[in-house]
Amino acid sequence: MVFSSALIENAVNEFAKLPGIGKKTALRLVLHLLKQETVQVQQFGEAIARMRQQIRFCKVCHNVSDEEICGICSSHSRQRHVVCLVESIRDVMAIENTQQFNGLYHVLGGIISPIDGVGPEQLNIQSLVERVQHQGVEEVIMALSPTIEGDTTIYFLSKKLKDFPVKITTIARGIAFGGELEYADEMTLARSISNRLPLDSYVKQ
């Protein structure tokens, strides 16, 4: 791709670093911004920079937040005895969009994957154990993607929590094995949460 301007080339290269954005799409975005008023482009850039500089992660559940405690964890209308364990922030958004879950969340920050160099010590596991131990959690829903890595993580966590009086369930297999939670349609995801199973039933499948 030949550019007549080094400034445009640099901008295209930066956009192309984003996931799912190729050079052609990056060029379209840059040319779109070039047509906008200067103040609009400045507002765009400032919003991105401000987001990165000021964003926080909830001290309780590790979800993104504007404050130390996110709006879900601080809400008095949520069921505080039920915690839905998810891999990423995107999964919180996916489940919230179903409007079928009214408990709290715990963002693990990934799943155990030795091939990718991700071990238990790199995930938010200890804080989950502490929540179960000290915050009156009665049920942990393992809402992880039904993959080999997801199942490995569920097995590991079930062993970590086995000594606590907490019910461990998992989402129903409405989501095909190997599928990613964030890409499931809202109806399927809602049914998977509502029809969750005891972990023993899941393991026996």
Side-chain angles (χ1 to χ4, degrees), residues 52-159:
R52 187 62 188 91
Q53 292 167 0
Q54 299 179 10
I55 198 72
R56 300 185 183 186
F57 292 91
C58 178
K59 292 173 63 176
V60 178
C61 73
H62 309 288
N63 190 18
V64 288
S65 176
D66 293 337
E67 308 294 338
E68 285 192 350
I69 307 297
C70 73
I72 294 175
C73 285
S74 61
S75 173
H76 296 294
S77 65
R78 312 286 298 209
Q79 295 178 327
R80 313 196 69 78
H81 63 284
V82 180
V83 171
C84 184
L85 179 76
V86 295
E87 176 184 346
S88 70
I89 294 160
R90 291 174 299 184
D91 295 333
V92 173
M93 296 177 180
I95 295 173
E96 281 295 284
N97 283 338
T98 70
Q99 299 183 342
Q100 296 297 309
F101 179 69
N102 195 41
L104 303 180
Y105 294 93
H106 189 89
V107 180
L108 205 53
I111 50 178
I112 297 173
S113 178
I115 293 178
D116 298 320
V118 180
E121 65 282 353
Q122 295 168 274
L123 305 177
N124 299 318
I125 292 176
Q126 186 55 41
S127 56
L128 172 66
V129 174
E130 291 172 1
R131 291 181 72 181
V132 171
Q133 188 174 11
H134 301 297
Q135 296 184 17
V137 176
E138 298 176 8
E139 180 183 2
V140 174
I141 305 171
M142 302 283 187
L144 301 181
S145 297
T147 61
I148 293 175
E149 293 81 7
D151 283 358
T152 299
T153 306
I154 289 173
Y155 179 78
F156 180 87
L157 292 173
S158 68
K159 295 299 182 184

